[in-house]
C-alpha cells in the first residue's frame, strides 16, 4: 500500500511542469529541508493537489495513519484584557468588565472538581490578560489544582499572559517560568504568536509581547524541559512571506531546543471584531496552508487542526493535508471561537464522536496525553459499543 502511495507522489513530482516546484518536490521526497524562498514559492504556485500529496507523504512518514486526540477541558479565567488585538472578538477592557467575566479561584476549582471521576488527562487554561490577576494568584491556582488532582496535566497561559505576569511581578522570564513550573504548570499552549513579523503585528496586536518576547518565553520553558505548542493566526492581512517568516522563526527555535510538540494554524474568523471587514479565507487556502506548514516545519513532530475553529468537516478534510492531531474532546467552555463566528457555537465532542469522525476519514484514532504518550488506540474499536459506554460519551 505504502509503495503505491510513494509511487503516486513521486509520479506527481516527476510530471510537474514548473521547474521550481519540481525541485522542491524532489527535496521533500529526499527529506531535505526547503528554504524560505521555496516556502514562498509553494504558496505562490503550489496547487492544492501538489502540496497536499507531498504533505500527506511527509505526515504518513512521521505519524503513519494515526490521528491523535486527547481528553481535555478548558478553563477561561477571564475575558477581561488589557490588550486590544484587532482580531479579538472575545476580550473586554477593564473599564467594561461588567460585560465580561472573571472567575474566582473557587469557581475555577469548582470546574476542576466537576471532572472528578471522569477520564480527562489535561486542563487547558487560557484567557485574557486581567490587570488584577497576578503571578501569585496563578501560582496558588496551580498548587490547588495539583493538590486536588495530581495526575491532571496543566497546560496553561499563553506567552502573552506570561509576559504580562512576569513584568508585573518584576521577575525575569526564567525566574517566572521556574516558579510556575514548581507550582505545577507542565506545558504551554501555543497562543499569542499571531504573526510575528512587525509589519503585520503592529497592525493587528501592536501592544502585546513581540516576536522575540514570545520566543524567549518558549525558549525558557524548553530549557526547563517543558513542552510547548506554537500557533499562527492566518487568513487576514498577512502575505505569504509573513507566514513563512513566522514558520522560519519557529523552525530555528525548534532546531535550538526541540521543545515544540505541535504547530497549530488558527484560521482568522471575522465576526464581532475590528477586522470584520476582512473576508475569511477559503477552504482551499486553509488546506494549502496546513499542507505547506507540514512541509516547512520539518522538525515539528505534529500539526494540529483545532476543530472548534475550523468546524468538524473541514477538520476531517485537513487529515489528508498534513494534519495528524485534532486536539481534544473539549467541553463547551471555550468562547474564543464561538464569539468570533466559528461554526462550532457549542464546541463539544464526546470521545465516541471524535473517534467516529476520525474513522470516517479513513484514519486510526489514538488517544494521547499532552506529551503524545499513547493512552489508547481506538482503530479496532466498535463504534456502537463505544457510543453506548458512559465513559466515552
Ligand atoms: O492567540 C483570537 C486566537 C488564540 C481569533 O496550544 C483567534 O493546544 C481566529 O492559542 N479568529 C488563543 N483565532 C487560542 C490558542 C490555542 C487554541 C487551541 C489549542 C491551543 C494549544 C492553543 O486564539 C489567540 C489568537 O491567535 N484568536 N481571536 C479570531 N477572531
Ligand atoms: Fe487579549 Fe488575547 Fe484578545 Fe489579544 S487575543 S485582546 S491578548 S484576549
Amino acid at each position: 500500500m505504502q509503495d503505491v502511495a510513494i509511487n503516486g507522489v513521486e509520479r506527481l513530482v516527476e510530471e510537474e511542469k514548473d521547474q521550481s516546484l519540481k525541485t522542491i518536490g524532489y527535496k521533500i521526497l529526499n527529506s531535505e529541508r526547503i528554504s524560505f524562498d521555496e516556502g514562498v514559492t509553494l504558496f505562490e504556485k503550489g496547487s492544492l493537489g501538489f502540496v497536499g500529496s507531498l504533505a500527506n507523504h511527509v505526515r504518513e512518514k512521521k505519524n503513519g495513519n494515526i490521528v491523535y486526540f486527547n481528553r481535555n477541558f478548558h478553563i477561561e479565567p477571564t475575558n477581561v484584557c488589557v490588550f486590544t488585538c484587532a482580531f479579538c472578538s472575545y476580550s473586554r477592557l477593564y473599564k467594561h468588565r461588567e460585560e465580561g467575566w472573571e472567575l474566582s479561584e473557587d469557581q475555577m476549582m469548582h470546574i476542576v472538581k466537576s471532572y472528578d471521576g471522569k477520564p480527562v488527562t489535561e486542563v487547558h487554561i487560557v484567557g485574557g490578560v486581567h490587570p488584577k490577576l497576578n503571578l501569585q494568584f496563578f501560582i496558588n491556582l496551580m498548587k490547588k489544582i495539583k493538590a486536588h488532582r495530581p495526575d491532571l496535566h496543566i497546560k496553561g497561559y499563553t506567552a502573552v499572559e506570561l509576559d504580562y505576569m512576569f513584568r508585573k511581578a518584576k521577575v525575569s522570564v526564567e525566574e517566572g517560568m521556574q516558579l510556575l513550573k514548581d507550582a505545577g504548570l507542565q506545558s504551554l499552549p501555543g497562543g499569542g504568536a499571531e504573526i510575528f513579523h512587525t509589519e503585520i503585528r503592529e497592525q493587528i496586536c501592536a501592544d502585546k509581547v513581540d516576536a522575540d518576547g514570545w520566543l524567549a518565553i518558549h525558549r525558557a520553558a524548553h530549557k526547563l524541559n517543558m513542552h510547548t505548542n506554537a500557533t499562527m493566526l492566518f487568513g487576514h492581512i498577512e502575505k505569504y512571506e509573513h507566514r513563512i517568516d513566522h514558520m522560519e522563526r519557529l523552525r530555528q527555535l525548534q532546531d535550538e531546543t526541540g521543545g515544540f510538540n505541535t504547530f497549530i494554524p488558527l484560521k482568522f474568523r471575522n465576526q464581532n471584531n475590528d477586522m470584520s471587514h476582512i473576508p475569511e479565507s477559503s477552504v482551499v487556502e486553509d488546506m494549502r496552508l496546513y499542507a505547506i506548514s507540514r512541509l516547512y516545519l520539518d522538525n515539528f513532530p505534529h500539526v494540529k487542526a483545532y476543530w472548534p475553529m475550523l468546524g468538524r468537516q473541514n477538520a476531517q478534510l485537513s487529515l489528508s493535508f498534513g494534519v495528524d492531531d485534532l486536539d481534544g474532546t473539549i467541553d463547551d467552555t471555550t468562547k474564543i471561537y464561538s464569539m468570533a463566528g466559528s461554526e462550532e457555537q457549542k464546541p463539544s465532542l464526546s470521545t465516541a464522536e471524535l473517534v467516529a469522525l476520525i474513522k470516517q476519514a479513513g484514519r486510526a484514532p489514538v488517544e494521547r496525553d499532552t506529551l503524545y504518550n499513547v493512552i489508547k488506540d481506538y482503530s479496532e474499536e466498535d463504534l456502537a459499543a463505544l457510543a453506548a459506554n458512559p465513559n466515552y460519551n
Side-chain angles (χ1 to χ4, degrees):
M1 264 321 273
Q2 211 183 2
D3 278 355
V4 175
I6 289 172
N7 288 341
V9 73
E10 272 176 358
R11 199 169 315 115
L12 188 87
V13 172
E14 209 172 280
E15 288 170 5
E16 174 57 51
K17 300 268 180 309
D18 182 285
Q19 196 50 49
S20 54
L21 286 178
K22 196 171 184 151
T23 305
I24 298 171
Y26 278 124
K27 270 182 129 174
I28 289 163
L29 291 179
N30 292 326
S31 303
E32 284 171 43
R33 177 166 277 192
I34 59 171
S35 69
F36 187 104
D37 290 345
E38 288 169 335
V40 175
T41 300
L42 284 177
F43 273 119
E44 283 171 351
K45 299 196 206 163
S47 67
L48 180 62
F50 185 78
V51 297
S53 302
L54 283 167
N56 196 48
H57 168 73
V58 170
R59 173 248 198 266
E60 289 184 356
K61 235 165 71 178
K62 281 188 187 286
N63 293 300
N65 200 30
I66 291 175
V67 175
Y68 291 100
F69 68 94
N70 69 349
R71 291 211 252 179
N72 61 358
F73 65 98
H74 281 215
I75 297 181
E76 293 180 296
T78 183
N79 67 339
V80 174
C81 190
V82 296
F83 298 118
T84 51
C85 304
F87 53 81
C88 185
S89 321
Y90 158 92
S91 67
R92 295 293 177 269
L93 286 169
Y94 186 68
K95 62 182 174 198
H96 300 305
R97 63 190 182 284
E98 69 291 342
E99 293 169 16
W101 70 88
E102 305 170 1
L103 301 184
S104 65
E105 186 185 274
D106 280 352
Q107 285 171 314
M108 289 191 258
M109 285 311 296
H110 184 73
I111 298 177
V112 173
K113 287 174 187 164
S114 71
Y115 288 90
D116 284 358
K118 293 188 186 165
V120 290
T121 58
E122 173 189 282
V123 54
H124 179 174
I125 305 176
V126 65
V129 179
H130 194 294
K132 304 269 188 250
L133 298 182
N134 58 24
L135 180 59
Q136 196 53 52
F137 175 86
F138 287 113
I139 285 176
N140 294 344
L141 179 67
M142 299 292 92
K143 287 184 178 163
K144 279 249 165 92
I145 295 176
K146 277 290 170 192
H148 180 74
R149 190 162 175 177
D151 63 324
L152 192 64
H153 185 109
I154 308 182
K155 178 177 83 178
Y157 314 117
T158 64
V160 176
E161 295 165 88
L162 295 171
D163 169 68
Y164 186 84
M165 261 184 237
F166 297 161
R167 281 189 292 114
K168 236 184 143 191
K170 297 194 171 35
V171 296
S172 68
V173 167
E174 289 72 22
E175 285 164 343
M177 284 308 313
Q178 185 70 59
L179 287 168
L180 283 169
K181 186 183 177 195
D182 293 345
L185 182 67
Q186 287 158 288
S187 305
L188 304 190
E194 322 312 357
I195 289 285
F196 287 143
H197 201 291
T198 44
E199 266 169 33
I200 303 300
R201 207 165 180 87
E202 275 169 8
Q203 295 180 65
I204 64 170
C205 56
D207 50 0
K208 71 185 186 190
V209 67
D210 64 7
D212 288 345
W214 190 99
L215 292 163
I217 286 176
H218 283 255
R219 180 181 289 106
H222 297 170
K223 296 240 155 98
L224 291 173
N225 290 323
M226 295 164 83
H227 283 275
T228 76
N229 293 335
T231 57
M232 176 172 79
L233 181 72
F234 73 94
H236 43 92
I237 58 169
E238 86 289 0
K239 301 214 165 60
Y240 294 150
E241 50 270 35
H242 299 123
R243 294 176 177 182
I244 294 294
D245 171 76
H246 191 91
M247 292 188 218
E248 176 57 30
R249 296 185 207 215
L250 293 172
R251 195 167 77 172
Q252 284 181 16
L253 181 55
Q254 181 73 334
D255 277 343
E256 187 188 320
T257 63
F260 286 118
N261 267 338
T262 315
F263 182 61
I264 313 164
L266 295 172
K267 175 192 172 93
F268 166 65
R269 309 305 307 233
N270 71 359
Q271 281 183 34
N272 308 316
N273 56 50
D274 291 344
M275 288 164 61
S276 293
H277 56 287
I278 296 170
E280 290 181 358
S281 59
S282 66
V283 177
V284 169
E285 259 308 290
D286 300 345
M287 296 304 137
R288 271 179 10 102
L289 180 122
Y290 279 108
I292 295 169
S293 53
R294 181 59 289 172
L295 299 177
Y296 200 80
L297 293 171
D298 57 351
N299 53 5
F300 270 61
H302 305 286
V303 175
K304 188 198 281 191
Y306 188 56
W307 67 262
M309 173 267 292
L310 206 55
R312 358 195 137 186
Q313 287 182 358
N314 292 338
Q316 256 178 338
L317 195 60
S318 73
L319 302 180
S320 300
F321 293 91
V323 169
D324 66 286
D325 189 335
L326 285 187
D327 202 274
T329 42
I330 305 170
D331 249 303
D332 63 351
T333 43
T334 183
K335 299 191 184 66
I336 297 177
Y337 295 104
S338 52
M339 288 168 83
S342 146
E343 284 88 353
E344 303 286 346
Q345 286 300 303
K346 214 167 177 290
S348 174
L349 275 180
S350 68
T351 308
E353 286 168 328
L354 199 52
V355 164
L357 201 110
I358 295 166
K359 281 195 168 195
Q360 262 174 20
R363 298 288 191 190
V366 168
E367 184 187 345
R368 61 163 175 87
D369 66 13
T370 311
L371 303 177
Y372 289 84
N373 299 304
V374 172
I375 293 184
K376 185 171 158 81
D377 181 346
Y378 289 80
S379 29
E380 302 303 326
E381 210 74 18
D382 177 63
L383 288 177
L386 208 61
N389 185 333
N391 252 341
Y392 299 106
N393 57 34

